[in-house]
Amino acid sequence: MDRNFIKINLNNFSNIKKFVQIAQSFYSDIDIVRGNVCLDAKSLLGVMVLDLSEDVYVRIISDDVAEKRRFGAEMEEFR
């Protein structure tokens, strides 16, 4: 994975729900990636259908440095 991706752990429903709520608080697009599947991280249903037993990565697509920093800080909870 390139350095724009952050490895996260979504091991239960409450973590998934909280993750999606945080993702929805950002203006920028956020992707969640597992293997060769890439989905919108702001979609609870989309995240729920992923096999979360394997490594999951997330990235924000933005040129806004402040938003990228905030995203990185918010994702610390899921590492």
Side-chain angles (χ1 to χ4, degrees):
M1 280 286 144
D2 75 41
R3 65 187 183 98
N4 292 323
F5 286 89
I6 300 170
K7 184 177 176 182
I8 60 172
N9 183 6
L10 299 175
N11 55 2
N12 61 50
F13 181 72
S14 64
N15 276 359
I16 293 168
K17 185 177 172 186
K18 187 170 186 178
F19 168 79
V20 171
Q21 288 173 337
I22 290 170
Q24 290 172 343
S25 75
F26 287 86
Y27 178 76
S28 302
D29 290 334
I30 300 173
D31 291 336
I32 189 164
V33 178
R34 193 204 55 77
N36 61 353
V37 176
C38 180
L39 298 170
D40 180 3
K42 296 179 182 182
S43 166
L44 181 60
L45 185 59
V47 176
M48 295 286 295
V49 301
L50 281 178
D51 176 6
L52 299 173
S53 66
E54 296 183 25
D55 291 345
V56 177
Y57 296 86
V58 66
R59 72 172 171 188
I60 187 168
I61 302 168
S62 177
D63 292 328
D64 184 338
V65 174
E67 187 156 269
K68 285 181 173 182
R69 280 192 194 125
R70 183 171 76 92
F71 180 73
E74 294 276 5
M75 291 301 105
E76 284 299 317
E77 178 178 350
F78 303 102
R79 287 183 181 236

